[in-house]
Each structure stands twice: as structure tokens, then as C-alpha cells.
Amino acid sequence: MGRVKEKIEAFSLKRVISYLDKDPDENIPKVIDWVEKFDRDHEYATPYRLAKEALRDPENNWNKLMKSLYSDIDEGVRKKLFENFIINALILRNERRKEIEKKYNCNVPWTLLLDPTSACNLHCTGCWAAEYGDTLSLSFEALDDIIHQAKEIGMHMFIFTGGEPLVRKKDVIRLCEKHNDCVFSAFTNGTLIDEAFADEMLRVKNFIPAISVEGFEEETDMRRGKGTYGAVIRAMDLLREKKLPFGFSACYHRKNTDVIASEAYFDEMIAKGCKFAWIFTYMPVGKDAVPDLIATAEQRETMYRQIRKFRKEKPIFTMDFWNDGEYVGGCIAGGRCYLHINAAGDIEPCAFIHYADSNIKEKTLLEALQSPLFMQYRKNQPFNENLLRPCPLLDNPGRLAEMVKESGANSTDFQHPEDVTELSERCVEAANLWAPVADKLWETRQKNKNL
């Protein structure tokens, strides 16, 4: 009966969303009101309220972003993504997730990250992926089965990572085509996006790349190799010309934070056509890690302040995966919002946490979510009352080591297995320097909320 109800609700929602294109200015507020009725537990009450407030002001940056989805994005692509993201990934999955969490007493994520391959055509400074070479990959059949399993527990959003996922671009497109009720994305260096692949994106309509950029040409080429920035810009120009949606992904570290945090950089990415930005901070993971690249506490505070400033001014959706812990209840890994399956099939709690006690070749996805390591995450989250210190590795050294040892998980780095205590020790200094800064910011936030 539950699945029948889902189909009826999906049909109704699709009809409402198709109504948008007739007169977006007039109909978007009406559709938000209608969709909000499906949020029975009021989990998204604040975003709905903010969206309606923004749409009343034609000069509001969020209003401009929404309108740009109609002027800049192909109509068929936009409709498909709205249906798959709003209906399948957000609204309909909610009740199924709650049922499964209650039945199995485990986390059920909103999305999962998948590594089709460990291969990469670049060798970026401080990146662990290049260590693996092209020795690991998940077959098309394995990727397909993982997606089927995930859909059974309510997931309809999938993000390819790696390695460079577009080394497997044909299989990526096959998966998008086969699972056309899902949204697919990829963290990609962008250098393999060509006209043929863009045309395939336009055909399947449900793939959105997040192109990795480290700043402008000097900063990007410093870590990723000469000519990389030029290739990225060519890819963005091509996607914009074909009216395809995309965003950028940036990792800020000690040598590029000033650029990543600058208005000039964000304005350039917006001008190139980016509709969203994923912001990460450098993590010293892997044999070739460079601890000296860890951002200083002052740089992290700069990103904290700048991202909040840009959200009020610039027509782009931005998520800072460390400094936004206050909005999502702390760490989102361990199946709480997402998990990561590497190219060997190891089911890891986070893309930056290379430890596992389960492999998709031996356990189902649901079994892995009930495994000791994932239950440790569920038991211990949040890892700090200060949600600006969310990470069990970078912000709270020792917490990850405790969970790994308690669960009996092992390092998934097949070439250079990493002792979790030694890994944690790399982060102690940065964590100690960030703690007083984060505590002051958190105290200010709490005071302002109570005013």
C-alpha cells in the first residue's frame, strides 16, 4: 500500500511541477505552498519560509538564482531534475527513510558517494586518489546493484567520486539512462568533459557535474598541473552554451584560501554559469598528505564569514561542508546524510575516512548501515556540542580513533594502510587552534538566536 501511495503522490507532484513553466513568476510561490503540504513533520519549514520571502523580492539573490534556472537551463533538463530531486530525492523518500530507521534502528542516508574507479588522469598534490592508480574499479553491474539497493531504502541522489569518475563516462551515462528517476552528480576535474559527453548529458537529462577548481589559474594549476584551469574553463563554457546545469567544487587550504574566499573568484564562477558551490577544507589523508596545507584557524573563520556574506548577495547555492555543521546538526557522515563506497567496494562512513568493516561485495547496503562502525557513528553524533566543530577527525581528534577501534574497522588504503591514531595526531594542532575560534563564533551565534 505504501508504494501505491508513493506513486499517487508522485503523479500529483509531477503535474504540479509541470505547471511551473507556464508562468514561473506567478506559479513558483503557489507550487511551494502546495509542496510544503507534503512536509508533514515540518522538517523543511525554515527553507520553505525563506524561499517564499525571497520570491517576494525581485532583487533578492535567491530570486535571481531561481529565475536563472528558467533562462539558463534547457527546459527538458530542468523538468527532469525538478521531478527527480524535489519529488523523489526529497519528498517521497522521507517517509520510507523513517520507516526503515525505526525498523532497523540505523541511519538511512539521503545520498551516497560512489567511486566507479580509482583511476585519475591527474596527479594532484596532497590527494590520496593518485596512490591507487587504475587498479581498482566497480563493474557496471556492481554499480547498478548498489543503486537498486539504495532506491529500495529511499535514496534517489547519487554522487560519483574517485579517482576521476569520468574515466568511466560511458558507464556513468548508462546508469543515468537506466535509473532515470534519480539525480546523478560527480566531483570531476572537468578535463574529460567534451562535446560528445555534453550531448549525452543533454540526452539523459539527469546528470549535474561539480567541477573541481582550486581558485584561478595559478592556484588550480599549482595542485592539479599546468593547463588544468584552462581545460576547466573550456568545459564550463561548453556546458553553459548547451544550457546544462553545473557547479563548482573548491578545496580551500593554506595557500589558496584568500582566493577561494574572494568576491572576484565567486563572481567569476557565477559568470561562467555555476549554479552551486561545494566548499571543502583540506584533509591530511593518505601517504602523500601534506599537513602544512591544512587551513589555519584564521582562514577557516574567513571562509565562515565570507560564505554567509555571499549567501545574502550572490545568486549561487553554496554549501561549506565543515563550517555549515550548525545547519545540519554536525557531522553528516556515517549514513546520517551520506556514506561512501570506494572502488574496491569498501563501505566507508565518509569520503575522507578510509576505514571500513563492510564491503558491498559481502554485505548489502542495509546490512552495512547496521554494522559496528556505522552504529558507532549513529551513537556518537554529534561529536561536539559546538556544531562548528563537527568532524571526528579534523575537529575532535581521538573520536575517530575510538570508533574505529571499538568497531574493529580496518584501513581501506590497500597500498599504505594508515594507523588511525597516527592519522588523528596530524590533526591535533589544527583542532586545538580552531577550538577557541569556533567556540567564540558558536557563542555569538547562540546569543543572536536568543535576542
Side-chain angles (χ1 to χ4, degrees):
M1 184 65 186
R3 296 297 174 89
V4 173
K5 181 184 176 184
E6 278 186 12
K7 289 181 179 179
I8 293 171
E9 289 186 345
F11 177 76
S12 300
L13 285 163
K14 285 179 182 178
R15 293 196 65 179
V16 170
I17 285 178
S18 67
Y19 177 64
L20 284 173
D21 282 336
K22 296 177 182 177
D23 187 346
D25 288 346
E26 179 71 21
N27 294 332
I28 289 176
K30 295 178 182 177
V31 169
I32 291 175
D33 285 337
W34 202 86
V35 170
E36 190 174 7
K37 295 176 183 178
F38 288 85
D39 184 23
R40 297 180 179 92
D41 295 328
H42 307 291
E43 287 188 45
Y44 305 107
T46 298
Y48 285 131
R49 176 180 59 79
L50 293 174
K52 286 186 281 190
E53 288 176 3
L55 290 170
R56 285 194 287 267
D57 178 7
E59 296 305 312
N60 184 282
N61 58 308
W62 294 102
N63 193 333
K64 292 177 180 179
L65 176 60
M66 177 61 74
K67 300 297 171 56
S68 77
L69 301 181
Y70 287 84
S71 60
D72 300 349
I73 306 301
D74 174 84
E75 179 181 347
V77 172
R78 182 179 62 250
K79 286 182 177 179
K80 170 61 71 175
L81 291 174
F82 275 12
E83 287 181 6
N84 290 357
F85 186 76
I86 297 174
I87 298 174
N88 297 335
L90 286 182
I91 297 174
L92 297 185
R93 60 112 21 202
N94 213 27
E95 287 190 21
R96 197 183 304 180
R97 172 184 63 82
K98 290 177 181 176
E99 290 173 5
I100 294 169
E101 285 190 344
K102 184 177 180 180
K103 181 176 180 180
Y104 295 100
N105 187 34
C106 67
N107 288 329
V108 177
W110 174 68
T111 186
L112 63 82
L113 274 60
L114 276 169
D115 292 358
T117 180
S118 62
C120 185
N121 60 320
L122 299 180
H123 192 124
C124 303
T125 301
C127 177
W128 66 82
E131 296 177 30
Y132 299 161
D134 58 0
T135 55
L136 301 176
S137 65
L138 290 170
S139 67
F140 174 84
E141 291 73 22
L143 293 165
D144 181 43
D145 182 60
I146 291 167
I147 293 168
H148 273 295
Q149 290 186 46
K151 287 165 68 174
E152 281 298 307
I153 57 176
M155 280 184 270
H156 284 79
M157 176 78 189
F158 302 94
I159 304 173
F160 296 116
T161 54
E164 168 50 51
L166 295 191
V167 168
R168 299 275 302 280
K169 62 172 72 174
K170 289 184 179 180
D171 283 337
V172 166
I173 291 295
R174 284 177 68 196
L175 291 166
C176 291
E177 187 172 33
K178 185 169 184 179
H179 299 279
N180 68 355
D181 57 343
C182 297
V183 176
F184 292 90
S185 185
F187 289 111
T188 171
N189 61 47
T191 61
L192 299 179
I193 295 175
D194 54 20
E195 186 153 8
F197 183 71
D199 287 339
E200 286 291 86
M201 287 175 57
L202 200 55
R203 180 176 68 84
V204 297
K205 298 179 172 57
N206 59 342
F207 180 77
I208 313 174
I211 301 175
S212 299
V213 202
E214 300 293 327
F216 292 112
E217 184 173 17
E218 180 181 351
E219 296 80 21
T220 298
D221 288 4
M222 180 202 79
R223 275 196 74 198
R224 297 178 178 271
K226 187 173 176 58
T228 302
Y229 184 76
V232 164
I233 295 304
R234 287 192 293 275
M236 289 183 174
D237 289 343
L238 175 63
L239 295 173
R240 188 176 73 255
E241 288 168 9
K242 291 184 178 289
K243 304 191 80 172
L244 286 161
F246 63 94
F248 76 92
S249 167
C251 174
Y252 68 92
H253 51 76
R254 196 163 301 191
K255 296 185 178 181
N256 74 345
T257 297
D258 289 348
V259 173
I260 299 295
S262 70
E263 293 214 30
Y265 176 63
F266 265 75
D267 288 345
E268 176 68 7
M269 293 297 101
I270 293 168
K272 286 298 175 184
C274 293
K275 300 302 179 187
F276 61 89
W278 301 148
I279 307 297
F280 300 89
T281 193
Y282 177 73
M283 295 285 282
V285 176
K287 178 181 72 72
D288 292 336
V290 184
D292 286 346
L293 283 179
I294 297 176
T296 66
E298 292 76 16
Q299 288 173 325
R300 189 161 165 183
E301 181 180 6
T302 294
M303 290 303 302
Y304 172 92
R305 296 188 184 283
Q306 285 295 88
I307 295 302
R308 282 156 178 72
K309 177 176 181 285
F310 293 160
R311 285 192 183 124
K312 297 176 182 178
E313 300 172 352
K314 301 190 182 298
I316 187 169
F317 177 82
T318 305
M319 175 68 78
D320 181 332
F321 285 88
W322 269 259
N323 288 336
D324 282 342
E326 64 177 304
Y327 302 124
V328 291
C331 171
I332 63 173
R336 189 169 158 261
C337 292
Y338 91 100
L339 56 79
H340 176 240
I341 302 178
N342 70 18
D346 298 310
I347 306 171
E348 301 168 337
C350 174
F352 299 100
I353 304 299
H354 297 172
Y355 298 89
D357 60 2
S358 304
N359 189 289
I360 198 65
K361 298 170 185 176
E362 299 164 355
K363 290 184 181 180
T364 66
L365 189 57
L366 186 55
E367 287 171 341
L369 287 165
Q370 300 170 74
S371 72
L373 181 57
F374 279 81
M375 293 306 289
Q376 280 290 311
Y377 264 78
R378 181 173 172 84
K379 175 184 175 182
N380 286 285
Q381 288 167 321
F383 298 107
N384 198 304
E385 292 182 0
N386 181 344
L387 299 180
L388 297 177
R389 298 166 61 188
C391 182
L393 175 58
L394 185 64
D395 300 324
N396 302 280
R399 298 302 301 276
L400 176 65
E402 291 170 5
M403 293 190 296
V404 167
K405 292 173 182 177
E406 183 70 24
S407 65
N410 297 305
S411 172
T412 54
D413 188 325
F414 80 101
Q415 285 190 328
H416 304 281
E418 226 176 349
D419 180 83
V420 68
T421 301
E422 292 179 6
L423 171 62
S424 296
E425 286 173 354
R426 290 184 206 152
C427 301
V428 170
E429 182 181 2
N432 289 340
L433 292 171
W434 172 241
V437 178
D439 288 347
K440 186 175 180 180
L441 291 170
W442 185 248
E443 183 181 349
T444 301
R445 291 287 291 178
Q446 300 315 299
K447 285 181 179 177
N448 290 340
K449 284 181 182 179
N450 297 325
L451 290 178

